[in-house]
């Protein structure tokens, strides 16, 4: 452990944590801020999840390929990647804008008290904001690849500064505007737009200082898109079957079990995995830019130990303290707490899987992840899809928990086998070349 700490770039890890967790922490402050306006407003604001889900696929398409580049390789492709991201997000924006009428009708039927104008403005600006957030994530990814400490600090500070200032102007008591639903998305859009403009400025400023001779190349753009097809397809398959099987079952069980399932995983998906994403990105950056001879396998084990502590101790504390405050006196409180604790071992396994995926990704073997997802869903979720839709078999919440757990263990086992095969192959190749006097 001390060996890892000695070689680990602590300054970069701290800057990376600030860049990733700073905006995340503020987003939670903002939720409670919005909640002060009334419960209905908070419930409506949560509808942005449906829009963000549409951007998860495009997020995998544009972000995952970026992390397959080494530092020096990325510098020769960054301008082509920049143009490719612009085109991809423009197309995605047009598609999601076309989906607004469908989402509008669904939201209107569930919230008849909201004015049509406010609802429409909310959807339009939330869609624009989701596009800009994807853009912000892309520009932030350069921090990980190029490992720039100062850039990480500046990005985090700029992001939080604009979001706080704009929210004060639009959502606080001193705002000149009368609060309504549309202001939530308009405020997010303006602040994120300002952040993206600053990020783009730094992007080109950095390129100018480095005297980068990189040019836009259609071939490089096409190669980048080809890299993105596999991660996007992998996430599409995973999300599709999770929706058609896991969420389908809890939806059929009724409102209480639906809320129990969602809140049972709340601590992990909405808090702990956001924190551990810092470790995933740090491991990825060290793997891509290993200039301090740090053994990234040792680093992975170190991070896994920290994550285990986080899930067991912090997860337990948050389950019994934070969940009751979020849920209140609802009848699904105790079942959510119990399910949260039951989820813990599987969430630890997912944390392990995320680290393994990061190592596989750093070796440019992202298609391994697609193979693992296809195997998992073919063996677990595809048969269940037919059982749910073409038989009268009934499932309980415990059944769904077991299904989820089996899927998690199977997927992680496949990724682990892939990882062991990959590192053994790498070691064998290094030994082969060294025996022949070649530098590796």
């Amino acid at each position: 452990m001390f060996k890892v700490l000695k070689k680990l770039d602590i300054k970069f890890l701290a800057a990376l944590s600030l860049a990733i967790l700073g905006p995340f922490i503020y987003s939670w402050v903002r939720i409670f801020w919005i909640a002060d306006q009334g419960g209905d407003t908070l419930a409506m604001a949560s509808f942005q999840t449906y829009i963000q889900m549409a951007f998860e696929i495009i997020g995998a398409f544009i972000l995952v390929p970026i992390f397959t580049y080494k530092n020096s390789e990325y510098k020769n492709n960054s301008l082509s990647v920049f143009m490719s991201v612009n085109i991809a997000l423009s197309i995605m924006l047009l598609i999601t804008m076309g989906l607004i009428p469908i989402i509008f009708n669904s939201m209107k039927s569930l919230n008849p008290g909201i004015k049509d104008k406010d609802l429409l403005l909310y959807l339009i600006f939330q869609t624009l904001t989701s596009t800009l957030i994807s853009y912000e994530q892309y520009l932030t990814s350069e921090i990980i690849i190029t490992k720039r400490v100062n850039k990480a600090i500046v990005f985090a500070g700029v992001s939080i500064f604009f979001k706080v200032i704009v929210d004060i102007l639009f959502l606080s008591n001193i705002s000149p505007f009368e609060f309504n639903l549309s202001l939530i998305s308009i405020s997010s859009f303006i602040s994120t737009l300002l952040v993206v403009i600053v990020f783009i400025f730094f992007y080109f400023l950095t390129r100018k200082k480095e005297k980068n001779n990189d040019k836009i190349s259609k071939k490089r753009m096409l190669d980048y898109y080809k890299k993105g097809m596999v991660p996007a397809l992998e996430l599409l398959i995973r999300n599709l079957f999770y929706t058609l099987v896991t969420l389908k079952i809890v939806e059929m069980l009724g409102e209480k079990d639906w809320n129990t399932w969602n809140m049972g995983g709340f601590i992990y998906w909405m808090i702990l995995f956001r924190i551990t994403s810092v470790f995933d990105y740090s491991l990825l950056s060290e793997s891509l830019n290993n200039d301090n001879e740090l053994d990234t396998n040792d680093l992975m084990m170190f991070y896994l130990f920290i994550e285990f502590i986080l899930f067991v101790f912090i997860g337990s504390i948050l389950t019994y303290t934070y969940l009751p405050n979020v849920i209140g006196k609802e009848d699904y409180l105790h079942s959510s707490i119990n399910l949260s604790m039951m989820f813990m071992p599987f969430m630890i396994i997912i944390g392990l899987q995320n680290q393994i995926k990061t190592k596989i990704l750093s070796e440019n073997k992202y298609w391994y992840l697609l193979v693992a997802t296809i195997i998992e869903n073919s063996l677990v979720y595809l048969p269940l899809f037919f059982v749910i839709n073409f038989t009268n078999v009934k499932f309980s919440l415990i059944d769904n928990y077991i299904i989820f757990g089996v899927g998690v263990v199977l997927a992680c086992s496949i990724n682990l086998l892939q990882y062991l095969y990959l590192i053994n192959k790498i070691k064998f190749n290094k030994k082969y070349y060294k025996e022949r006097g070649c530098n590796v």
Side-chain angles (χ1 to χ4, degrees):
M1 181 181 296
F2 293 106
K3 180 181 177 181
V4 172
L5 285 174
K6 186 177 180 180
K7 293 185 177 181
L8 181 62
D9 190 343
I10 301 296
K11 185 178 180 182
F12 174 72
L13 180 62
L16 184 62
S17 300
L18 180 64
I20 294 174
L21 296 181
F24 162 67
I25 292 172
Y26 175 68
S27 69
W28 280 102
V29 175
R30 190 174 190 264
I31 285 179
F32 291 109
W33 194 352
I34 295 172
D36 288 338
Q37 307 295 335
D40 292 339
T41 301
L42 179 60
M44 285 298 298
S46 67
F47 265 93
Q48 64 183 312
T49 302
Y50 294 97
I51 300 171
Q52 289 173 347
M53 285 181 64
F55 280 89
E56 282 190 356
I57 309 302
I58 192 66
F61 181 72
I62 66 173
L63 291 179
V64 174
I66 294 175
F67 297 130
T68 64
Y69 292 107
K70 302 296 183 182
N71 190 348
S72 58
E73 183 187 6
Y74 180 75
K75 288 181 179 179
N76 294 325
N77 290 272
S78 64
L79 197 56
S80 296
V81 171
F82 180 81
M83 184 59 64
S84 301
V85 170
N86 277 278
I87 294 173
L89 286 178
S90 297
I91 294 173
M92 188 59 187
L93 176 62
L94 293 175
I95 293 174
T96 50
M97 281 293 188
L99 295 175
I100 285 180
I102 300 174
I103 303 175
F104 176 85
N105 291 330
S106 299
M107 292 177 65
K108 183 61 182 175
S109 62
L110 293 172
N111 300 272
I114 303 295
K115 295 179 181 179
D116 288 359
K117 178 183 176 182
D118 292 339
L119 185 54
L120 184 60
L121 286 173
Y122 172 81
L123 283 171
I124 291 173
F125 280 101
Q126 195 59 51
T127 302
L128 291 169
T129 302
S130 297
T131 306
L132 291 174
I133 288 174
S134 298
Y135 209 103
E136 182 181 349
Q137 290 173 338
Y138 149 64
L139 293 169
T140 306
S141 68
E142 287 207 329
I143 296 172
I144 300 161
I145 300 175
T146 57
K147 204 174 181 182
R148 297 180 183 277
V149 175
N150 293 334
K151 201 174 186 179
I153 296 173
V154 170
F155 276 22
V158 167
S159 180
I160 296 175
F161 173 78
F162 280 121
K163 288 170 183 177
V164 170
I165 293 299
V166 174
D167 277 347
I168 289 175
L169 293 175
F170 279 83
L171 304 179
S172 70
N173 293 329
I174 67 172
S175 171
F177 307 103
E178 182 180 353
F179 185 88
N180 58 56
L181 176 67
S182 62
L183 285 182
I184 298 174
S185 58
I186 292 173
S187 178
S188 295
F189 168 73
I190 294 175
S191 60
T192 311
L193 177 61
L194 292 172
V195 170
V196 167
I197 291 174
V198 173
F199 281 16
I200 292 176
F201 170 78
F202 273 100
Y203 171 83
F204 284 104
L205 181 64
T206 304
R207 286 179 54 82
K208 185 177 180 180
K209 285 185 175 181
E210 291 181 349
K211 297 181 180 179
N212 200 315
N213 294 319
D214 177 27
K215 305 293 183 182
I216 297 177
S217 166
K218 291 182 180 179
K219 182 180 182 302
R220 290 175 178 176
M221 291 175 62
L222 184 60
D223 290 341
Y224 171 75
Y225 283 139
K226 287 180 179 178
K227 286 185 175 185
M229 294 300 295
V230 173
L233 181 60
E234 187 268 336
L235 186 60
L236 175 63
I237 294 172
R238 182 152 40 97
N239 283 357
L240 184 64
F241 277 103
Y242 181 80
T243 301
L244 295 177
V245 175
T246 304
L247 293 184
K248 183 69 173 179
I249 291 175
V250 291
E251 182 182 358
M252 293 187 298
L253 292 175
E255 182 180 354
K256 180 179 178 180
D257 285 336
W258 171 268
N259 290 323
T260 296
W261 183 268
N262 288 324
M263 296 309 299
F266 181 85
I267 295 298
Y268 308 99
W269 298 122
M270 301 305 295
I271 299 179
L272 292 180
F273 280 126
R274 301 293 183 93
I275 297 174
T276 58
S277 67
V278 175
F279 304 141
D280 297 337
Y281 284 132
S282 172
L283 178 63
L284 184 59
S285 181
E286 294 294 344
S287 299
L288 294 173
N289 306 285
N290 198 355
D291 51 6
N292 54 3
E293 299 181 351
L294 174 64
D295 189 328
T296 53
N297 293 316
D298 290 342
L299 179 62
M300 184 177 74
M301 298 304 298
F302 173 68
Y303 281 151
L304 286 175
F305 173 75
I306 296 177
E307 288 185 9
F308 179 81
I309 300 299
L310 280 173
F311 281 114
V312 173
F313 292 100
I314 304 301
S316 299
I317 292 172
L318 290 176
T319 296
Y320 286 103
T321 58
Y322 186 70
L323 267 189
N325 289 327
V326 173
I327 298 176
K329 297 181 180 180
E330 302 292 343
D331 59 352
Y332 54 87
L333 171 61
H334 294 295
S335 56
S336 297
I337 291 175
N338 292 335
L339 187 60
S340 181
M341 295 302 296
M342 291 170 62
F343 269 143
M344 185 177 293
F346 295 127
M347 297 303 173
I348 293 173
I349 294 175
I350 292 175
L352 167 63
Q353 184 185 13
N354 288 340
Q355 292 281 306
I356 294 173
K357 283 182 174 182
T358 299
K359 286 292 293 178
I360 293 174
L361 183 63
S362 69
E363 295 296 335
N364 207 8
K365 301 295 183 182
Y366 44 89
W367 62 270
Y368 278 33
L369 307 181
L370 176 61
V371 171
T373 297
I374 291 175
I375 294 174
E376 175 204 1
N377 286 280
S378 297
L379 295 178
V380 179
Y381 289 102
L382 184 59
L384 286 168
F385 169 77
F386 288 107
V387 170
I388 292 171
N389 289 277
F390 299 103
T391 71
N392 293 321
V393 176
K394 302 296 182 183
F395 295 90
S396 66
L397 193 66
I398 295 299
D399 294 331
N400 209 33
Y401 168 78
I402 294 173
I403 293 169
F404 175 79
V406 170
V408 167
V409 173
L410 178 60
C412 185
S413 300
I414 296 171
N415 287 141
L416 180 59
L417 291 174
Q418 291 173 325
Y419 170 68
L420 294 175
Y421 166 77
L422 185 60
I423 60 173
N424 286 328
K425 183 179 178 181
I426 293 171
K427 288 180 180 178
F428 174 80
N429 288 337
K430 285 184 177 180
K431 182 179 178 181
Y432 175 85
Y433 287 112
K434 283 183 178 179
E435 288 176 350
R436 284 153 181 78
C438 302
N439 293 325
V440 292

